[in-house]
Amino acid sequence: MSAALPAADGRPRCPWGLSTEDYLVYHDTEWGRPVHGDQALFERLCLEAFQSGLSWLTILRRREGFRRAFAGFDIPAVARFTDADRERLLADPGIIRNRAKVDATLANAKVLAGWEEGELDALIWSYAPDPASRPAPRTLGDVPAVTPASTALAKELKKRSIRFVGPTTAYALMQACGLVDDHLADCVSRGGS
């Protein structure tokens, strides 16, 4: 399995971050950095769900389309979407037009609109493991797809009526939002640097 590799600038990075310029920018500026706030976490939760079964690059390249289509992922605004909005979304070429994923996003917004401000942030971050309990991965083979924490987070979200978030999607969310740092040990971005 691949260890960190040098990019064009000579600095080592996680191999997946070197395949396209889009990935390089995302790897260096976003992935693994702490994300807080209900709206920001709702966006990431939705995008990770839309990514299920697809390449993250597909989602990353359509992120602005998703933001336009879903009112910037403003939870109360999305919770007010109507059947006409649903049909508009299913016809929007700027997003992934998967009926189950669109329906889950709309249903999740309705659920989250009933939560207290900060509740989604607090819930998700309550599943962040102690960084000292996780050694830095040396290769991509050392990076899990699922952990006990992601399984527990997915179970809790499901219990609270949040749809389309299984343990693998929950772990991808944890990685993307900085709950875990899965940058490889020799990666220049390890530890948020």
Side-chain angles (χ1 to χ4, degrees):
M1 288 289 173
S2 295
L5 299 171
D9 64 5
R11 296 169 29 180
R13 301 215 176 44
C14 301
W16 65 264
L18 302 177
S19 62
T20 70
E21 183 64 25
D22 294 321
Y23 269 160
L24 183 64
V25 171
Y26 178 69
H27 170 275
D28 285 1
T29 63
E30 291 186 64
W31 192 75
R33 302 248 195 296
V35 173
H36 285 282
D38 292 346
Q39 183 172 327
L41 288 167
F42 176 59
E43 175 180 347
R44 296 294 182 88
L45 185 70
C46 295
L47 294 178
E48 293 296 345
F50 271 100
Q51 185 272 329
S52 181
L54 302 171
S55 157
W56 177 247
L57 188 59
T58 300
I59 304 304
L60 192 58
R61 288 180 172 166
R62 294 182 184 200
R63 185 161 53 173
E64 289 309 315
F66 277 106
R67 287 175 173 162
R68 280 189 299 277
F70 288 101
F73 292 98
D74 179 74
I75 296 168
V78 177
R80 290 189 299 270
F81 277 18
T82 64
D83 288 342
D85 290 307
R86 179 180 179 271
E87 293 309 312
R88 170 185 56 82
L89 293 167
L90 291 172
D92 188 337
I95 67 169
I96 304 302
R97 296 171 288 184
N98 178 294
R99 186 175 307 278
K101 294 173 183 182
V102 167
D103 288 348
T105 300
L106 300 181
N108 291 345
K110 286 177 177 37
V111 169
L112 293 171
W115 290 19
E116 296 293 323
E117 185 175 336
E119 189 173 351
L120 179 62
D121 186 295
L123 172 69
I124 289 174
W125 277 90
S126 74
Y127 286 88
D130 176 4
S133 72
R134 303 184 78 245
R138 305 287 314 159
T139 70
L140 293 178
D142 297 333
V143 178
V146 174
T147 64
S150 74
T151 300
L153 174 57
K155 184 177 179 180
E156 184 61 26
L157 289 168
K158 183 177 181 179
K159 179 178 158 189
R160 294 178 181 229
S161 301
I162 301 298
R163 297 169 34 187
F164 227 96
V165 183
T168 303
T169 299
Y171 193 66
L173 176 74
M174 293 171 77
Q175 291 174 304
C177 295
L179 281 75
V180 296
D181 184 355
D182 276 345
H183 284 285
L184 299 182
D186 295 332
C187 177
V188 69
S189 294
R190 176 89 191 159
S193 49

